[in-house]
Amino acid sequence: MENSITPCDLEALGLAARRSLAYLQTVGSRRVAPCPSAVSALAQFQEPLPEAPGDTFCVLDLLDRVGSPATVATAGGRFFGFVNGAALPVSVGATWIASAWDQNAALRVMSPAAAAIEDVALGWVRDALGLPAECGGAVVTGASMANFTGLAAARHALLERSGWDVENDGVFGAPPLTVVVGDEVHASLLKALGLLGLGRRRVIRVPADEQGRMRADRMPALDDRCIVCIQAGNVNSGAFDPAASICRRALDAGAWVHVDGAFGLWAAASPQYRHLTEGFDLADSWATDGHKWPNVGYDCGIAMVRNAAAMRAAMAVSAAYFIPGELREPSNYTPEMSRRARGVELWATLRSLGRRGLAELIERTCRHARRFAEGLRAGGYEILNEVVINQVLVSFGEPAVTRAVIAKVQSEGTCWCGGTEWHGRPAMRISVSSWATTEEDVDMSLAAIRRIAEECRR
Ligand SMILES: Cc1ncc(COP(=O)(O)O)c(C=O)c1O
């Protein structure tokens, strides 16, 4: 095999670019869930590890021919499951360039470009979300790792106050910390607590109200060994915890407040929705995602910590060969050492959207969510949440009917919506998070959902 790029390789990369463009040109008009035959065809990938090197062209051709039809059309405008953004074209292009660069974004010396671009992107995130300028920041894989990073900084800072070095001595025998969460805490935050030795179950759960907001009047007494975890954007209802009152009480007590704002925190970027995020800037650490509402390609999460030194203490390592420079070293703030240049797509997306484009994206998706709610209500179906941002929960009546509607919508292919339970009732979740969704997409999806619901009710 040649050890420099060959004309054949270049031709194969051209094929990959052309096939990617064809995919993006058609993804909006194909069925959203792949058809069963395309999923069955994935069996073609099941083969023993080849003995001989394969031709680049053939490998990429197989990937596109068999893989592409079995993808879910999340890059189109009618996928409303989970909270999935669709990569903006500028983000896709940035990924292509960054993939060609193949930079390791651990240290600045490995990639001055990746480090400088990430610095700028993190500064813009701080600005757009209204977070303190002194925050330390990291670009990680998603809100799960951002929760982990923020909580690791919290664990460091609170135990350091008691003279305990948790990074070196671990949690065994450490002074106990109390973790307070809302009853509607996201599963990824509990997972982060487990990974940090703080325990998924060893938490005080504060009751939530009917929208899933933590009840400030039911908060326990706090002190300077408490970590309080609040939420900007409930994964089901989109509701925001009452941050201002919780943060003020925590501040008075010397407790640490961590915000899981995977998508909701981006409401701060819109003048119309900013009021929902009031008080969240008083917290100590924040987790959010680029790959959800801002439509950066997967994967892209962001951790911010007011006390940058605590973040660094929790994340930095040293080794004889790993020599930091004078400026901020990305991997001193992240759980990973080697990592791809994730900041590139984040930078490109924010650079392209600008402040106005970001606000417009937030406002447009919220408008589409309201259109869904109005259309379903008009069809006689019950909207279970206050539609405060981009999330809609709907019941189609009897639990079995709602479950049947969700299953049929998913298999029918016009659009894709997930299921959940809300206050003990099955519900369909509609999350409008894609830049690509148009009013026509909403109307087409509404017509399909209403038709299927009528069929299921009969
Ligand atoms: C509130 C909340 N927190 C955390 C997460 C986890 O995010 P990720 O999948 O990017 O790790 C989600 C995902 O939907 C979420 O809605």
Side-chain angles (χ1 to χ4, degrees):
M1 192 189 273
E2 296 274 346
N3 56 11
S4 64
I5 195 156
T6 65
C8 283
D9 287 331
L10 289 174
E11 205 180 309
L13 291 181
L15 167 94
R18 285 193 303 281
R19 296 281 185 91
S20 303
L21 294 178
Y23 180 86
L24 291 175
Q25 275 166 339
T26 51
V27 70
S29 53
R30 53 162 270 200
R31 44 178 289 124
V32 177
C35 62
S37 60
V39 176
S40 303
L42 291 171
Q44 290 178 62
F45 287 121
Q46 298 292 337
E47 57 176 348
L49 174 65
E51 292 299 330
D55 174 69
T56 311
F57 194 97
C58 294
V59 172
L60 294 177
D61 173 62
L62 175 67
L63 181 63
D64 177 56
R65 220 169 6 85
V66 181
S68 291
T71 57
V72 176
T74 49
R78 294 191 304 282
F79 182 84
F80 305 108
F82 308 95
V83 188
N84 281 14
L88 277 156
V90 73
S91 177
V92 177
T95 303
W96 289 351
I97 293 175
S99 290
W101 290 351
D102 190 31
Q103 299 287 279
N104 184 339
L107 288 181
R108 200 167 286 263
V109 72
M110 291 167 166
S111 181
I117 291 167
E118 177 176 310
D119 286 348
V120 173
L122 286 170
W124 287 349
V125 172
R126 260 179 232 121
D127 180 355
L129 300 183
L131 302 181
E134 73 267 23
C135 280
V139 186
V140 293
T141 50
S144 299
M145 262 302 125
N147 278 328
F148 174 86
T149 306
L151 291 167
R155 186 184 68 162
H156 171 89
L158 267 53
L159 287 177
E160 191 187 39
R161 285 178 195 163
S162 311
W164 189 267
D165 178 352
V166 69
E167 282 74 33
N168 284 311
D169 297 328
V171 287
F172 303 103
L177 298 178
T178 302
V179 180
V180 179
V181 301
D183 226 3
E184 278 285 329
V185 60
H186 193 269
S188 68
L189 192 131
L190 296 176
K191 180 173 176 175
L193 291 173
L195 291 171
L196 288 161
L198 296 172
R200 295 185 186 195
R201 206 167 39 207
R202 207 186 141 283
V203 292
I204 297 178
R205 294 183 84 108
V206 177
D209 69 11
E210 76 294 343
Q211 295 301 319
R213 293 172 294 228
M214 205 163 159
R215 284 186 50 183
D217 62 327
R218 300 286 294 273
M219 286 284 291
L222 302 176
D223 61 28
D224 63 358
R225 297 254 195 86
C226 288
I227 303 172
V228 183
C229 303
I230 60 174
Q231 211 164 234
N234 178 291
V235 72
N236 286 315
S237 68
F240 292 71
D241 286 341
S245 63
I246 294 175
C247 286
R248 280 193 203 104
R249 281 181 58 184
L251 260 175
D252 288 346
W256 180 292
V257 180
H258 172 77
V259 177
D260 178 357
F263 60 104
L265 214 46
W266 291 95
S270 151
Q272 197 182 331
Y273 291 94
R274 188 169 297 143
H275 64 281
L276 295 169
T277 63
E278 198 205 322
F280 282 95
D281 59 328
L282 299 171
D284 298 282
S285 54
W286 300 263
T288 192
D289 267 318
H291 59 222
K292 289 192 168 72
W293 227 353
N295 283 244
V296 179
Y298 283 95
D299 47 29
C300 177
I302 303 133
M304 291 284 181
V305 179
R306 182 187 296 276
N307 180 345
M311 187 180 196
R312 193 180 188 290
M315 292 294 146
V317 289
S318 60
Y321 77 100
F322 207 69
I323 304 163
E326 295 286 299
L327 299 172
R328 172 185 176 276
E329 293 295 359
S331 74
N332 279 344
Y333 297 87
T334 54
E336 311 92 352
M337 191 174 277
S338 291
R339 48 198 278 278
R340 68 179 199 89
R342 278 193 190 89
V344 169
E345 293 99 342
L346 180 60
W347 169 85
T349 302
L350 295 178
R351 177 74 172 73
S352 158
L353 284 173
R355 214 182 282 282
R356 272 212 306 278
L358 191 54
E360 210 277 319
L361 173 61
I362 302 300
E363 289 159 18
R364 177 159 36 104
T365 43
C366 290
R367 209 164 47 239
H368 290 331
R370 283 200 303 277
R371 193 174 179 88
F372 262 119
E374 283 155 18
L376 289 165
R377 221 181 258 122
Y381 305 110
E382 188 185 358
I383 302 302
L384 302 179
N385 65 319
E386 284 171 20
V387 181
V388 286
I389 46 172
N390 60 337
Q391 305 289 119
V392 183
L393 297 175
V394 54
S395 162
F396 296 93
E398 289 299 311
V401 175
T402 298
R403 287 195 195 98
V405 174
I406 295 167
K408 206 138 185 229
V409 164
Q410 291 179 358
S411 62
E412 189 262 354
T414 303
C415 64
W416 202 98
C417 305
T420 191
E421 285 237 337
W422 190 243
H423 297 309
R425 296 173 68 187
M428 179 192 267
R429 293 177 73 252
I430 301 174
S431 174
V432 190
S433 306
S434 165
W435 68 274
T437 302
T438 61
E439 234 167 57
E440 291 70 46
D441 285 318
V442 175
D443 291 346
M444 202 172 147
S445 304
L446 265 174
I449 296 170
R450 285 176 57 165
R451 179 175 42 74
I452 289 167
E454 279 309 304
E455 285 164 14
C456 291
R457 272 219 295 216
R458 268 185 229 132

